[in-house]
Amino acid sequence: MDIFILLDKYKSQNIVLSLEQERELLAQYIYSTNRLEGNNLTLAQTQSIIDNDTISGNKIKIKDILEQKETYKALIKMLKAVIAKETLSVELIQELNWLTVGNLFQDDYYLGYKEKGQKYGYFKVKNNRIMFTTSNGKRIFLDPLIKQSRKCFN
C-alpha cells in the first residue's frame, strides 16, 4: 500500500496524542535510535532526561546523556519545522545534524572524524563501518559500501 494513502487514512482518524504520549513516543524513538549507535542508557533513563533533565544509575557516560539530550532537541526542531511547513533544505538537514552531534563534536568524542578532516557544520567526510564480534571474540570492522562486506553475511 502507498505510504501516502496510509498517511491520509491516519490523518482522517483525527487522532490527537496527549503531551505525555508524545513525550513517551519521542523517548522510545530516541532510546531505540541511540541504542543502535551503542548508547547504554535505558528507556527509563531516557524518559527521565526528557521529562525532568535528571538521571540516576551507575557508570553513566556523559556522552550517552548528551546523545539523548541532543537528539531530543533535534527532534523537537524537526517537528516544529514540519508543523511550520518549512522546506526541507540542506541548511535544515545540517542544522538537525549539528543539533544532534554538535556538543559531542566540540569535545573529543569525534576525534577520529576530526583527524580525517571533518569540520563543524559540514557534511561527513569519514565512512561508516559495521563492527561485529566473532564467536571467538575477535572484532571485525566492515565498510558497508564495499562488496566484500556483503560476502561476510552470506
Side-chain angles (χ1 to χ4, degrees):
M1 180 174 273
D2 187 302
I3 188 70
F4 295 108
I5 294 171
L6 285 173
L7 185 57
D8 287 340
K9 283 183 179 182
Y10 176 79
K11 286 179 181 179
S12 72
Q13 299 297 314
N14 293 320
I15 298 171
V16 178
L17 298 177
S18 70
L19 183 58
E20 276 183 10
Q21 290 170 318
E22 283 183 13
R23 291 171 80 91
E24 187 177 310
L25 284 174
L26 284 172
Q28 289 173 0
Y29 177 82
I30 293 165
Y31 165 77
S32 299
T33 299
N34 288 337
R35 187 72 177 168
L36 287 171
E37 297 291 333
N39 191 295
N40 292 312
L41 296 183
T42 66
L43 177 57
Q45 288 170 322
T46 302
Q47 189 74 54
S48 180
I49 290 170
I50 290 169
D51 289 345
N52 49 36
D53 208 26
T54 62
I55 190 169
S56 61
N58 298 320
K59 298 183 180 181
I60 297 171
K61 295 178 183 176
I62 293 172
K63 177 183 178 284
D64 289 347
I65 296 169
L66 288 174
E67 281 177 346
Q68 306 301 58
K69 289 178 67 127
E70 305 309 308
T71 302
Y72 178 72
K73 288 178 190 175
L75 281 173
I76 295 300
K77 168 62 182 165
M78 181 186 66
L79 292 171
K80 286 179 179 179
V82 169
I83 290 167
K85 299 184 190 271
E86 189 174 329
T87 302
L88 183 61
S89 64
V90 169
E91 292 79 16
L92 178 59
I93 292 169
Q94 286 178 316
E95 180 182 358
L96 293 170
N97 180 60
W98 290 104
L99 278 172
T100 305
V101 300
N103 282 332
L104 294 168
F105 187 83
Q106 293 188 36
D107 286 333
D108 282 335
Y109 295 109
Y110 282 87
L111 190 57
Y113 288 88
K114 292 177 189 177
E115 289 171 349
K116 297 279 186 188
Q118 182 67 52
K119 293 186 174 36
Y120 183 84
Y122 290 86
F123 285 107
K124 187 174 159 187
V125 296
K126 184 178 173 187
N127 289 334
N128 286 341
R129 295 185 311 166
I130 298 170
M131 182 194 84
F132 67 95
T133 306
T134 63
S135 58
N136 64 357
K138 181 180 175 187
R139 287 183 174 181
I140 297 175
F141 295 92
L142 301 173
D143 181 338
L145 302 177
I146 296 177
K147 289 181 183 178
Q148 64 190 151
S149 294
R150 292 185 191 150
K151 291 178 188 175
C152 292
F153 294 104
N154 291 332

